[in-house]
Amino acid sequence: VTVVSHPFELPAASGIRVLVPTMGALHAGHAELIRQAGQHGDQVVVSIFVNPTQFGPNEDFARYPRDLERDVETVREAGGHVVYAPSVETMYPRERMTKVIVPEVTELYEGAHRPGHFEGVATIVLKLINQVRPVVAVFARKDLQQCAVVRRMVADLDHPVQIEIVETVRESDGLAMSSRNVYLSAEERLIAPGLYTALTAARDAMRNGIEPDSARDEGRVNLEKIGFVVDYFDLVDADRLVPVSKVESGMAIVAAARLGRTRLIDNIVL
Ligand code: PAF
C-alpha cells in the first residue's frame, strides 16, 4: 500500500481508478467497501480524512477515532492499493471557500438534525473526486441520505464519476458497523442492536399489512422503551429522502437514535 498526503503524490492510475472516501477508523464495513471497490476497477484509492466541516460545533470531531497505521493495515488486507491521507491544510487552504449546497435531499433527517453537515460532506466529496479523479467512487448504504446527496450532486453538476453503493455490514447481533460504535459503553452496546431490530420489526409489520404510520409510531415507541432517545424513525422515499405514507417500491425506513452521548443511524431499504 502506497501512503500519500498530497494529490500530486498519487501514483499514476494503472487502469480504472476507484475511490473509497472514508474518515478512517476503518472497520469490517469499510473493508467490504474496499473489496467491492476492487471489483469495479484496477487501482483502489482509499482516502482518509476526518473532515472538520461536516461536524457541528458540539459534535465529536475532536474525539473521532484516528489510527492511520492500523487503517493502512486494514486497507492492505482488504486489497486496497493507495491510501490518500491529506491534512486539513491541504484540503482547506483558504478560510473562505467555495461550498457545495445540495437542495431538497438534505432538508430532512440528518440534514435537519445536523445543520451544515451535508454542505461539508458534498464539498469534501467533490474536492476528493476532483483531486483523485476516479472513474468510480464507492459509498456505504448505511449513510442512505449521504448516498442520495452525492448522487444528486454528481447528477446536478454533470460530474463524470460513477457512484456505487455497498450494502451495510452488520455485527452478528444486527448492529450496523460504524466507527462510532467504539463510543458505546458495555451496557449501551447491549441495547444498540435494538435499532436494527426496530427497523426490521417495522418492515415485517408492514409486510403483514400494518399501516405504515402505525409501524413507524411503534418503532419509535419501542426504541424509547429500551432506552434510546429517538431523533427520527420514518418511512421515506430512498432517493428523495422525503416521508411517504404508503408502502411503495424504492422505499426505506431511516432511523437515528441516541444512547447516552452516542448517536447511531441505520436504515433498511424495502
Ligand atoms: O461517510 C463518510 O465517512 C464521510 O461522510 C465521507 C463520505 C468520507 C466524507 O467525509
Side-chain angles (χ1 to χ4, degrees):
V1 176
T2 309
V3 182
V4 302
S5 58
H6 275 280
F8 56 72
E9 294 167 348
L10 286 165
S14 45
I16 293 175
R17 180 181 275 172
V18 185
L19 173 65
V20 184
T22 81
M23 298 204 301
L26 304 181
H27 48 65
H30 294 109
E32 183 59 22
L33 285 175
I34 296 165
R35 271 194 296 274
Q36 293 209 20
Q39 295 170 7
H40 291 289
D42 311 292
Q43 186 196 53
V44 175
V45 178
V46 178
S47 67
I48 297 182
F49 180 64
V50 185
N51 173 33
T53 65
Q54 70 186 75
F55 288 80
N58 299 315
E59 292 183 2
D60 55 345
F61 176 69
R63 68 177 180 131
Y64 198 84
R66 291 163 172 89
D67 187 346
L68 185 60
E69 231 171 276
R70 203 168 153 255
D71 287 345
V72 171
E73 191 47 35
T74 305
V75 170
R76 198 186 58 74
E77 283 167 12
H81 306 101
V82 181
V83 168
Y84 171 46
S87 67
V88 172
E89 294 70 32
T90 297
M91 294 313 290
Y92 296 110
R94 283 170 287 280
E95 211 167 286
R96 300 182 59 202
M97 268 213 23
T98 305
K99 286 179 189 167
V100 181
I101 296 169
V102 181
E104 294 165 348
V105 291
T106 56
E107 273 162 27
L108 302 173
Y109 309 112
E110 289 306 286
H113 284 271
R114 305 183 66 188
H117 171 67
F118 284 126
E119 219 173 279
V121 169
T123 303
I124 201 66
V125 168
L126 184 62
K127 283 170 68 68
L128 288 167
I129 57 184
N130 283 341
Q131 290 178 336
V132 176
R133 303 196 165 273
V135 175
V136 180
V138 177
F139 292 85
R141 175 95 68 202
K142 158 125 188 327
D143 296 302
L144 188 78
Q145 195 169 10
Q146 173 169 279
C147 293
V149 170
V150 170
R151 283 183 147 145
R152 174 72 190 262
M153 169 181 75
V154 161
D156 283 356
L157 300 180
D158 308 298
H159 201 290
V161 73
Q162 177 188 326
I163 304 301
E164 293 291 340
I165 308 299
V166 172
E167 283 312 317
T168 305
V169 179
R170 300 181 180 283
E171 304 283 357
S172 55
D173 58 12
L175 176 64
M177 300 248 178
S178 164
S179 305
R180 292 186 165 99
N181 291 349
V182 298
Y183 299 153
L184 296 165
S185 69
E187 193 190 329
E188 289 163 352
R189 177 63 188 80
L190 292 175
I191 304 170
L195 186 57
Y196 184 58
T197 310
L199 288 168
T200 52
R203 175 197 62 197
D204 295 345
M206 284 189 294
R207 278 186 183 157
N208 293 328
I210 306 280
E211 282 301 310
D213 283 356
S214 317
R216 183 195 60 207
D217 295 345
E218 231 168 81
R220 288 182 188 163
V221 169
N222 286 340
L223 285 173
E224 277 159 12
K225 246 187 237 161
I226 59 173
F228 279 98
V229 176
V230 180
D231 281 352
Y232 58 82
F233 186 97
D234 212 357
L235 307 163
V236 302
D237 175 310
D239 293 321
R240 296 190 305 131
L241 272 295
V242 292
V244 294
S245 51
K246 61 181 193 337
V247 180
E248 49 191 70
S249 70
M251 190 178 112
I253 313 175
V254 292
R258 285 170 283 137
L259 281 175
R261 287 170 73 200
T262 306
R263 189 167 178 279
L264 302 175
I265 73 170
D266 201 351
N267 66 81
I268 45 174
V269 176
L270 277 81

